[in-house]
Amino acid sequence: MTNTSYTPLAEPASPREIPDAAIAMLDAEGIVVGWTHAAERLVGYSAGEVVGRSAAHVLPPAEDAPSASAFAEQCRAQDGWSGTMTVRHRDGHAIKMTLRISLLWGQDAGTWWLVSVTDIGTLSSGASNGAVRESLLAHAPIGIALYDLQLRCTWVNDVMERHDGTPRERRFGRRLRDSLPAVEAEALEVVMRQVLESGSTMVHEYRAWSSTDRRREHAFSASFFCLQDADGTALAVCSMSVDVTGNRRARERLAILSEAGTRIGSTLEVMRTGQELADLAVPLLADHVVVDLMESVPFGVDPSAGTGAANGRPPVLRRAGVASIDPGVLKLPWVRQEVVRPVATSLFATALRTGRSCLESVLDTCSGPWVSHDPVPTQKLRESGVHSLMVVPIRARRCVLGLAVFGRSEEPTPFQEDDLLLAEELVTRAALSLDNALQYARQRTAALTLQRDLLPHHVGGGAALDVASRYVPADMDHGVGGDWFDVIKLSGARVALVVGDVVGHGINAAATMGRLRTAVRTLADLELPPHELLAHLDDTVRRLSEEDADAADPYPAAVGATCLYAVYDPVTRRCTMARAGHPPPAIIDPQGRITFPDMPAGAPLGLGLGLLPFESVELELPVGTLLALYTDGLVESRADDIDVGLDRLGAALAVPGSSLEDLCSQVLETLPTQSPADDVTLLLARTRGLEPAQVASWELPNDPATVCIARQAAAHQLSEWGLGYLVATVELIVSELVTNAIRYGGGPIRLRLIQHQVLTCEVSDSNTSHPRPRQPHIIDEQGRGLFLVAQLSRRWGSRSATDGKVVWAEQDLPSKALAA
């Protein structure tokens, strides 16, 4: 009994008819002994008209063909013949055909001839009817066997032995079930019985491992034909088998590559891509796969250009993917994130150095370039039973990003060259995904670095607020966004809080964020009310959009943003805020009650909706009130409504007795995912208030004599605060500011001194015009007041008020005064 085993294909072709497969069987003298329905349709002769007659008489050759006897001798000398021939149809028209004549051996050492005929005209029309006809055209070796009505083998050609290693003497008189496992034999014999009953031609595909080459699997396509005798009854069934291993493997290869297109590179995370490659290759190609990347790659850093290692030492790798059909093998030192240091003489180091793949079809388990100097992993790998190995470098843009190692232990067939080609194609696809991920990681790192540099490194609320903040960039798939926040100290101990969100992700969004943050700081220095500041910021965003639209870039980045701007005054305990399409703040009073103030939403910045002006609202906030400013990434998600996010935020902020830093951490812990699809920004501020003793103010009449009164009042107050050393300087500043208010202002004048982190001197009047310093000429007697104020102050400025304006100047205070 033969040792050949047969198993059905993973996707076996269902038995199907081949309508134009014409077969004729001739004896040693050239007499037709068998005929098929397809032959009758092709040349017009029925079995009764052909069987028992000479083939030369039935199918006369062309005039230039050799005689029948000479042609027979030629066939005997060559064990067959193939070529083209023009024959006459029964009705007289000529047909150009391809003939293949094969020599068959019988049990008594006799010989028969099988003639396969195909109409060239049918082939040229583009019709395709199976592997047999394609093989005829390609002159591929065809195994032929003839079975009687009891399905016993009676005739066979030499090719059959080359297909499965079974000598012809062991076939004669035996059925398939006598030499094949029951399931496979029954499947083939069922097809053969159908052919005998219907007279049609059927095809069945199967796999086989020859007894002479157990390492390599073969796939065969067997076609079965019914031969008829002179009465038109079934005489025998003929089997013609073609080795279609290459076609089958090509189909499987395409299927694997097609699956690779959907399973490898699903994200822009390099470590996950390495694992996806390993998961796909097991068990489709290998029993065990490990994927190692250069240590810098997972961190978004390109390895050095070229394939050589520095100082002759192999580079350090980090394990990115591990897969195995045997979970026990995963207990080897094959774990993700493991640092791998290949030995300089190993296959792995060679592949890294040369950038070329290594194939070890039969692995030497005792020695060889794959053996490590460390005996522990070497012994464990030997015990795993891996007998065949492929090492494929992962290359992209002339750089080696890492290695993919494929091993077989359970699968007995060693890796072949075509397996290596498939592995290289899979690795190439993974390399493209890794390179894309690497480039994205570099861009994300640059954007994140830019954003972190542009965002404030330390936020402080001065005497007005205690503040804390958190910023979490978006995940790898969505990229860094354009969130920003800021805390800006204003005059009069007031503090501005800003949170904004630029449309889009990536480095463009981060750069736009930086421009808008700078614009907000510049506008904040103008001491504008929140709604006016947003109006100017809206103009800035629109100008940026217009500039980008006019640029040569065919794909200009969209510019748009939302923003919330709030100003808190610790003297009055009032907060004025306005928003441009941004979520409202959360306010938690000292008793823990949470509200989201009803304030006009405003249009997002950059839309140019000038008909929808921004509006400010003013709220009184008791000392200890908590303000939470945030971006939509904190409260919005695809799975939940925004109200769910707002409730989650409010519940996290209502924890009594928590510090601001703890509250920030608690809020982030409530996020549905630790890899948000949008940037998350949170700015918390707890209000303070200045004590009445820190503020002194006087109402002054609009009279030149008021200047002296103001100077005396300021000097007295400074002495009470222990700031006598500032009296001379402040007297000069008060004198100049009050004089200007009397000269250019109108209505009552108000002087206010505020002692906080600095000393602020404020003079207000009812004139809305702001002072502008000028450079006086030498002979001018006026125009030097503001110049003098600027020289005596750390900084000075003016701001609008509800009933006029305020001009202010600041003085530095020593640390002991601040402590007091």
Side-chain angles (χ1 to χ4, degrees), residues 50-119:
V50 173
V51 176
R53 306 185 66 179
S54 171
H57 176 74
V58 177
L59 303 175
E63 296 179 357
D64 56 348
S67 64
S69 59
F71 183 68
E73 291 298 328
Q74 179 182 346
C75 291
R76 289 190 183 92
Q78 300 177 358
D79 289 336
W81 178 88
S82 62
T84 60
M85 181 177 295
T86 302
V87 301
R88 299 291 178 182
H89 191 271
R90 188 173 185 275
D91 62 11
H93 74 272
I95 306 175
K96 189 174 183 180
M97 299 181 176
T98 62
L99 271 70
R100 182 159 187 164
I101 303 176
S102 303
L103 177 64
L104 303 183
W105 297 95
Q107 189 170 3
D108 58 356
T111 57
W112 274 12
W113 303 93
L114 183 137
V115 182
S116 307
V117 185
T118 306
D119 185 353

Coordinates of all heavy atoms in Angstrom, one line a residue, residues 50-119:
V50 N -17.2 5.6 -34.7 CA -15.8 5.7 -34.5 C -15.2 4.5 -33.8 O -14.1 4.0 -34.3 CB -15.5 7.0 -33.6 CG1 -14.0 7.0 -33.2 CG2 -15.9 8.2 -34.3
V51 N -15.7 4.0 -32.8 CA -15.1 2.9 -32.0 C -15.0 1.6 -32.9 O -16.0 1.3 -33.7 CB -16.0 2.5 -30.8 CG1 -15.4 1.3 -30.1 CG2 -16.0 3.7 -29.8
G52 N -13.8 1.0 -32.9 CA -13.5 -0.1 -33.8 C -13.0 0.2 -35.1 O -12.6 -0.7 -35.9
R53 N -12.8 1.5 -35.4 CA -12.3 1.9 -36.7 C -10.9 2.6 -36.4 O -10.6 3.1 -35.3 CB -13.2 2.9 -37.4 CG -14.6 2.3 -37.6 CD -15.5 3.2 -38.4 NE -15.0 3.3 -39.8 CZ -15.6 4.1 -40.7 NH1 -16.7 4.8 -40.4 NH2 -15.2 4.1 -41.9
S54 N -10.1 2.7 -37.5 CA -8.8 3.4 -37.4 C -9.0 4.8 -37.2 O -9.8 5.5 -37.8 CB -8.0 3.1 -38.7 OG -6.8 3.9 -38.6
A55 N -8.1 5.4 -36.3 CA -8.1 6.8 -36.0 C -7.8 7.6 -37.3 O -8.3 8.7 -37.5 CB -7.2 7.2 -34.9
A56 N -6.9 7.0 -38.1 CA -6.5 7.7 -39.3 C -7.6 7.8 -40.3 O -7.7 8.8 -41.0 CB -5.3 7.0 -40.0
H57 N -8.5 6.8 -40.3 CA -9.7 6.8 -41.2 C -10.7 7.8 -40.7 O -11.4 8.5 -41.5 CB -10.3 5.4 -41.3 CG -11.5 5.4 -42.1 ND1 -11.5 5.5 -43.5 CD2 -12.8 5.3 -41.7 CE1 -12.7 5.4 -43.9 NE2 -13.6 5.3 -42.9
V58 N -10.9 7.9 -39.4 CA -11.9 8.8 -38.8 C -11.5 10.2 -38.8 O -12.2 11.1 -39.1 CB -12.3 8.3 -37.4 CG1 -13.3 9.2 -36.8 CG2 -12.8 6.9 -37.4
L59 N -10.2 10.4 -38.4 CA -9.7 11.8 -38.3 C -8.5 11.9 -39.3 O -7.3 11.8 -38.9 CB -9.2 12.1 -36.9 CG -10.2 11.9 -35.8 CD1 -9.6 12.1 -34.4 CD2 -11.4 12.9 -36.0
P60 N -8.8 12.1 -40.6 CA -7.7 12.1 -41.6 C -6.8 13.3 -41.4 O -7.3 14.4 -41.1 CB -8.5 12.2 -42.9 CG -9.8 12.8 -42.6 CD -10.1 12.3 -41.2
P61 N -5.5 13.2 -41.4 CA -4.6 14.3 -41.1 C -4.5 15.2 -42.4 O -5.0 14.8 -43.4 CB -3.2 13.6 -40.9 CG -3.3 12.3 -41.6 CD -4.8 11.9 -41.5
A62 N -3.9 16.3 -42.2 CA -3.7 17.2 -43.4 C -2.7 16.6 -44.4 O -2.0 15.6 -44.1 CB -3.2 18.5 -42.9
E63 N -2.7 17.2 -45.6 CA -1.9 16.6 -46.7 C -0.4 16.6 -46.3 O 0.3 15.7 -46.8 CB -2.1 17.4 -48.0 CG -3.6 17.3 -48.5 CD -3.8 18.1 -49.7 OE1 -2.8 18.8 -50.1 OE2 -4.9 18.1 -50.3
D64 N 0.1 17.6 -45.6 CA 1.5 17.6 -45.3 C 1.9 16.8 -44.0 O 3.0 16.8 -43.6 CB 2.0 19.1 -45.1 CG 1.2 19.8 -44.0 OD1 0.1 19.2 -43.6 OD2 1.6 20.9 -43.6
A65 N 0.9 16.2 -43.4 CA 1.2 15.4 -42.2 C 1.8 14.0 -42.6 O 1.6 13.5 -43.7 CB 0.0 15.1 -41.4
P66 N 2.7 13.4 -41.7 CA 3.2 12.1 -42.1 C 2.2 11.0 -42.2 O 1.0 11.2 -41.7 CB 4.2 11.8 -40.9 CG 3.6 12.7 -39.8 CD 3.0 13.9 -40.4
S67 N 2.5 9.9 -42.7 CA 1.6 8.8 -42.9 C 1.2 8.3 -41.5 O 1.9 8.5 -40.5 CB 2.2 7.7 -43.7 OG 3.3 7.1 -43.1
A68 N 0.1 7.5 -41.4 CA -0.3 7.0 -40.1 C 0.7 6.1 -39.5 O 1.0 6.2 -38.3 CB -1.7 6.2 -40.3
S69 N 1.3 5.2 -40.3 CA 2.3 4.3 -39.7 C 3.6 5.0 -39.2 O 4.1 4.8 -38.1 CB 2.7 3.2 -40.8 OG 3.3 3.9 -41.9
A70 N 4.0 6.0 -40.0 CA 5.2 6.8 -39.6 C 4.9 7.6 -38.3 O 5.7 7.8 -37.4 CB 5.6 7.7 -40.7
F71 N 3.6 8.1 -38.3 CA 3.2 8.9 -37.1 C 3.2 8.1 -35.9 O 3.6 8.5 -34.8 CB 1.9 9.6 -37.4 CG 1.4 10.5 -36.3 CD1 2.1 11.7 -36.0 CD2 0.3 10.1 -35.5 CE1 1.6 12.5 -35.0 CE2 -0.1 11.0 -34.5 CZ 0.5 12.2 -34.3
A72 N 2.7 6.8 -36.0 CA 2.6 5.9 -34.9 C 4.0 5.6 -34.4 O 4.3 5.5 -33.2 CB 1.9 4.6 -35.3
E73 N 5.0 5.3 -35.3 CA 6.3 5.1 -34.9 C 6.9 6.2 -34.1 O 7.7 6.1 -33.2 CB 7.2 4.7 -36.1 CG 6.8 3.4 -36.7 CD 7.1 2.2 -35.7 OE1 8.0 2.3 -34.9 OE2 6.3 1.2 -35.8
Q74 N 6.6 7.4 -34.6 CA 7.2 8.7 -33.9 C 6.6 8.8 -32.5 O 7.3 9.1 -31.6 CB 6.7 9.9 -34.8 CG 7.2 11.2 -34.1 CD 6.7 12.4 -35.0 OE1 6.3 12.3 -36.1 NE2 6.9 13.6 -34.4
C75 N 5.3 8.4 -32.3 CA 4.7 8.5 -31.0 C 5.4 7.5 -30.1 O 5.6 7.7 -28.9 CB 3.2 8.3 -31.1 SG 2.3 9.7 -31.9
R76 N 5.6 6.2 -30.6 CA 6.2 5.2 -29.8 C 7.6 5.6 -29.3 O 8.1 5.4 -28.2 CB 6.3 3.9 -30.5 CG 4.9 3.2 -30.7 CD 5.1 1.8 -31.3 NE 3.8 1.2 -31.5 CZ 3.2 1.2 -32.7 NH1 3.7 1.9 -33.7 NH2 2.0 0.6 -32.8
A77 N 8.4 6.2 -30.2 CA 9.7 6.6 -29.9 C 9.8 7.7 -28.9 O 10.7 7.8 -28.1 CB 10.5 7.1 -31.2
Q78 N 8.8 8.6 -28.9 CA 8.8 9.7 -28.0 C 7.9 9.5 -26.8 O 7.7 10.5 -26.0 CB 8.4 11.0 -28.7 CG 9.4 11.3 -29.9 CD 8.9 12.5 -30.6 OE1 7.9 13.1 -30.4 NE2 9.7 12.9 -31.6
D79 N 7.3 8.4 -26.6 CA 6.3 8.1 -25.6 C 5.1 9.1 -25.6 O 4.5 9.4 -24.6 CB 6.9 8.2 -24.2 CG 7.9 7.0 -23.9 OD1 7.7 6.0 -24.5 OD2 8.8 7.2 -23.0
G80 N 4.8 9.5 -26.8 CA 3.7 10.4 -27.0 C 4.0 11.5 -28.0 O 5.1 11.6 -28.6
W81 N 3.0 12.4 -28.1 CA 3.2 13.5 -29.1 C 2.2 14.6 -28.7 O 1.1 14.4 -28.2 CB 3.0 13.1 -30.5 CG 3.1 14.2 -31.5 CD1 4.3 14.5 -32.1 CD2 2.1 15.0 -32.1 NE1 4.0 15.5 -33.0 CE2 2.7 15.8 -33.0 CE3 0.7 15.1 -31.8 CZ2 2.0 16.8 -33.7 CZ3 0.0 16.0 -32.6 CH2 0.6 16.9 -33.5
S82 N 2.6 15.9 -28.9 CA 1.7 17.0 -28.8 C 2.0 18.0 -29.8 O 3.1 18.2 -30.3 CB 1.9 17.7 -27.4 OG 3.2 18.2 -27.2
G83 N 0.9 18.7 -30.3 CA 1.1 19.7 -31.3 C -0.3 20.1 -31.9 O -1.3 19.8 -31.3
T84 N -0.3 20.8 -33.0 CA -1.5 21.2 -33.6 C -1.7 20.4 -34.9 O -0.8 20.0 -35.6 CB -1.4 22.7 -34.0 OG1 -0.4 22.9 -34.9 CG2 -1.2 23.6 -32.8
M85 N -3.0 20.3 -35.3 CA -3.3 19.5 -36.5 C -4.7 20.0 -37.0 O -5.6 20.3 -36.2 CB -3.4 18.0 -36.1 CG -3.8 17.1 -37.3 SD -3.7 15.4 -36.8 CE -2.0 15.1 -36.4
T86 N -4.8 20.0 -38.3 CA -6.1 20.4 -38.9 C -6.8 19.1 -39.4 O -6.3 18.3 -40.1 CB -5.9 21.3 -40.1 OG1 -5.2 22.5 -39.7 CG2 -7.2 21.7 -40.8
V87 N -8.0 19.0 -38.9 CA -8.8 17.8 -39.2 C -10.2 18.2 -39.8 O -10.5 19.4 -39.8 CB -9.1 16.9 -38.0 CG1 -7.8 16.4 -37.4 CG2 -9.9 17.7 -36.9
R88 N -10.9 17.3 -40.4 CA -12.1 17.6 -41.0 C -13.3 17.1 -40.1 O -13.3 16.0 -39.6 CB -12.2 16.8 -42.4 CG -11.2 17.2 -43.4 CD -11.4 18.6 -43.9 NE -10.3 19.0 -44.8 CZ -10.2 20.2 -45.4 NH1 -11.1 21.1 -45.1 NH2 -9.2 20.5 -46.2
H89 N -14.2 18.0 -40.0 CA -15.4 17.7 -39.2 C -16.3 16.7 -40.1 O -16.1 16.6 -41.3 CB -16.2 19.0 -38.9 CG -17.4 18.8 -38.0 ND1 -18.6 18.4 -38.4 CD2 -17.4 18.9 -36.6 CE1 -19.4 18.4 -37.4 NE2 -18.7 18.6 -36.3
R90 N -17.2 16.1 -39.5 CA -18.0 15.1 -40.2 C -18.8 15.8 -41.3 O -19.0 15.1 -42.4 CB -19.0 14.4 -39.2 CG -19.8 13.2 -39.8 CD -20.6 12.6 -38.7 NE -21.2 11.4 -39.2 CZ -22.4 11.4 -39.8 NH1 -23.1 12.5 -40.0 NH2 -23.0 10.2 -40.2
D91 N -19.1 17.1 -41.1 CA -19.9 17.8 -42.2 C -18.9 18.4 -43.2 O -19.4 19.0 -44.2 CB -20.8 18.8 -41.6 CG -20.0 19.9 -40.9 OD1 -18.7 19.9 -41.0 OD2 -20.6 20.7 -40.2
G92 N -17.6 18.2 -43.1 CA -16.7 18.6 -44.1 C -15.8 19.8 -43.8 O -14.8 20.1 -44.5
H93 N -16.2 20.7 -42.8 CA -15.4 21.9 -42.6 C -14.1 21.5 -41.8 O -14.1 20.5 -41.0 CB -16.2 23.0 -41.9 CG -16.5 22.7 -40.5 ND1 -17.6 22.0 -40.0 CD2 -15.8 23.0 -39.3 CE1 -17.6 21.9 -38.7 NE2 -16.5 22.5 -38.3
A94 N -13.1 22.3 -41.9 CA -11.8 22.1 -41.3 C -11.8 22.7 -39.9 O -12.4 23.7 -39.6 CB -10.7 22.7 -42.1
I95 N -11.1 21.9 -39.0 CA -11.0 22.4 -37.6 C -9.5 22.3 -37.2 O -8.9 21.3 -37.4 CB -11.8 21.5 -36.6 CG1 -13.3 21.5 -37.0 CG2 -11.7 22.1 -35.2 CD1 -14.1 20.5 -36.2
K96 N -9.0 23.4 -36.7 CA -7.6 23.4 -36.2 C -7.6 23.1 -34.8 O -8.2 23.7 -33.9 CB -7.0 24.8 -36.4 CG -5.4 24.8 -36.2 CD -4.8 26.1 -36.6 CE -3.3 26.1 -36.4 NZ -2.7 27.4 -36.7
M97 N -6.9 22.0 -34.4 CA -6.9 21.5 -33.1 C -5.5 21.4 -32.5 O -4.5 21.3 -33.2 CB -7.6 20.1 -33.1 CG -9.0 20.1 -33.5 SD -9.7 18.4 -33.5 CE -11.4 18.8 -34.0
T98 N -5.5 21.3 -31.1 CA -4.3 21.0 -30.4 C -4.5 19.5 -29.9 O -5.5 19.2 -29.3 CB -4.0 21.9 -29.2 OG1 -5.1 21.8 -28.3 CG2 -3.8 23.3 -29.6
L99 N -3.5 18.7 -30.2 CA -3.6 17.3 -29.8 C -2.5 16.9 -28.8 O -1.4 17.4 -29.0 CB -3.5 16.3 -31.0 CG -4.8 16.0 -31.8 CD1 -5.3 17.2 -32.5 CD2 -4.5 14.8 -32.7
R100 N -2.8 16.1 -27.9 CA -1.8 15.6 -27.0 C -2.1 14.1 -26.9 O -3.1 13.6 -26.4 CB -1.9 16.2 -25.6 CG -0.8 15.7 -24.7 CD -0.6 16.7 -23.5 NE 0.5 16.2 -22.7 CZ 1.1 17.0 -21.9 NH1 0.7 18.3 -21.7 NH2 2.2 16.6 -21.1
I101 N -1.1 13.3 -27.3 CA -1.1 11.8 -27.4 C -0.2 11.3 -26.3 O 1.0 11.6 -26.3 CB -0.8 11.3 -28.8 CG1 -1.7 11.9 -29.8 CG2 -0.9 9.8 -28.8 CD1 -1.3 11.5 -31.2
S102 N -0.8 10.5 -25.4 CA -0.1 10.0 -24.2 C -0.1 8.5 -24.3 O -1.1 7.9 -24.6 CB -0.7 10.5 -22.9 OG -0.8 11.9 -22.9
L103 N 1.1 7.9 -23.9 CA 1.2 6.4 -23.9 C 0.8 5.9 -22.5 O 1.2 6.4 -21.5 CB 2.7 6.1 -24.1 CG 3.1 4.6 -24.1 CD1 2.4 3.8 -25.2 CD2 4.6 4.4 -24.2
L104 N -0.1 4.9 -22.5 CA -0.5 4.2 -21.3 C 0.0 2.8 -21.3 O 0.1 2.1 -22.4 CB -2.1 4.2 -21.3 CG -2.8 5.6 -21.3 CD1 -4.3 5.4 -21.2 CD2 -2.3 6.5 -20.3
W105 N 0.2 2.3 -20.1 CA 0.7 0.9 -19.9 C -0.4 0.1 -19.2 O -1.1 0.6 -18.3 CB 1.9 0.8 -19.0 CG 3.1 1.5 -19.6 CD1 3.5 2.8 -19.4 CD2 4.0 1.0 -20.6 NE1 4.6 3.1 -20.2 CE2 5.0 2.0 -20.9 CE3 4.1 -0.3 -21.2 CZ2 6.0 1.8 -21.8 CZ3 5.2 -0.5 -22.1 CH2 6.1 0.6 -22.4
G106 N -0.6 -1.1 -19.8 CA -1.6 -2.0 -19.2 C -1.0 -3.1 -18.3 O 0.3 -3.2 -18.2
Q107 N -1.8 -3.9 -17.6 CA -1.4 -4.9 -16.7 C -0.5 -6.0 -17.4 O 0.4 -6.5 -16.8 CB -2.5 -5.5 -16.0 CG -2.1 -6.4 -14.8 CD -3.3 -6.8 -14.0 OE1 -4.5 -6.4 -14.3 NE2 -3.1 -7.5 -12.9
D108 N -0.8 -6.2 -18.7 CA -0.1 -7.3 -19.4 C 1.0 -6.7 -20.2 O 1.5 -7.3 -21.2 CB -1.1 -8.0 -20.3 CG -1.8 -7.1 -21.3 OD1 -1.6 -5.8 -21.2 OD2 -2.6 -7.5 -22.1
A109 N 1.5 -5.5 -19.8 CA 2.6 -4.8 -20.5 C 2.2 -4.3 -21.9 O 3.0 -3.9 -22.7 CB 3.8 -5.6 -20.6
G110 N 0.9 -4.4 -22.2 CA 0.4 -3.8 -23.5 C 0.4 -2.3 -23.4 O 0.5 -1.7 -22.4
T111 N 0.2 -1.7 -24.6 CA 0.2 -0.2 -24.6 C -1.1 0.3 -25.3 O -1.6 -0.3 -26.3 CB 1.4 0.4 -25.4 OG1 1.4 -0.2 -26.7 CG2 2.7 0.0 -24.7
W112 N -1.6 1.3 -24.8 CA -2.7 2.1 -25.4 C -2.3 3.5 -25.6 O -1.3 4.0 -25.0 CB -4.0 2.0 -24.6 CG -4.8 0.7 -24.9 CD1 -4.5 -0.4 -25.6 CD2 -6.2 0.5 -24.4 NE1 -5.5 -1.3 -25.6 CE2 -6.5 -0.8 -24.9 CE3 -7.1 1.2 -23.6 CZ2 -7.8 -1.4 -24.7 CZ3 -8.3 0.6 -23.4 CH2 -8.7 -0.6 -23.9
W113 N -3.1 4.3 -26.3 CA -2.9 5.7 -26.5 C -4.1 6.5 -26.1 O -5.2 6.2 -26.5 CB -2.5 6.0 -28.0 CG -1.3 5.2 -28.5 CD1 -1.3 4.1 -29.1 CD2 0.1 5.6 -28.3 NE1 0.0 3.6 -29.4 CE2 0.8 4.6 -29.0 CE3 0.7 6.7 -27.8 CZ2 2.2 4.7 -29.0 CZ3 2.1 6.8 -27.8 CH2 2.8 5.7 -28.4
L114 N -3.9 7.6 -25.4 CA -5.0 8.5 -25.1 C -4.7 9.8 -25.8 O -3.7 10.4 -25.7 CB -5.0 8.7 -23.5 CG -6.2 9.6 -23.1 CD1 -6.9 9.1 -21.9 CD2 -5.8 11.1 -22.8
V115 N -5.8 10.2 -26.6 CA -5.7 11.4 -27.4 C -6.6 12.5 -26.7 O -7.8 12.3 -26.6 CB -6.1 11.1 -28.8 CG1 -5.9 12.4 -29.6 CG2 -5.3 10.0 -29.4
S116 N -6.0 13.6 -26.3 CA -6.7 14.8 -25.8 C -6.8 15.8 -26.9 O -5.7 16.2 -27.5 CB -6.0 15.3 -24.6 OG -5.8 14.3 -23.6
V117 N -8.0 16.3 -27.2 CA -8.2 17.2 -28.3 C -8.9 18.4 -27.8 O -9.9 18.4 -27.1 CB -9.0 16.5 -29.4 CG1 -9.1 17.4 -30.6 CG2 -8.4 15.2 -29.8
T118 N -8.4 19.6 -28.3 CA -9.0 20.9 -27.9 C -9.1 21.8 -29.1 O -8.1 21.9 -29.9 CB -8.2 21.6 -26.8 OG1 -8.0 20.7 -25.7 CG2 -8.9 22.9 -26.4
D119 N -10.2 22.4 -29.3 CA -10.4 23.3 -30.5 C -9.7 24.6 -30.2 O -10.1 25.3 -29.2 CB -11.9 23.5 -30.7 CG -12.2 24.3 -31.9 OD1 -11.3 24.8 -32.6 OD2 -13.4 24.5 -32.3

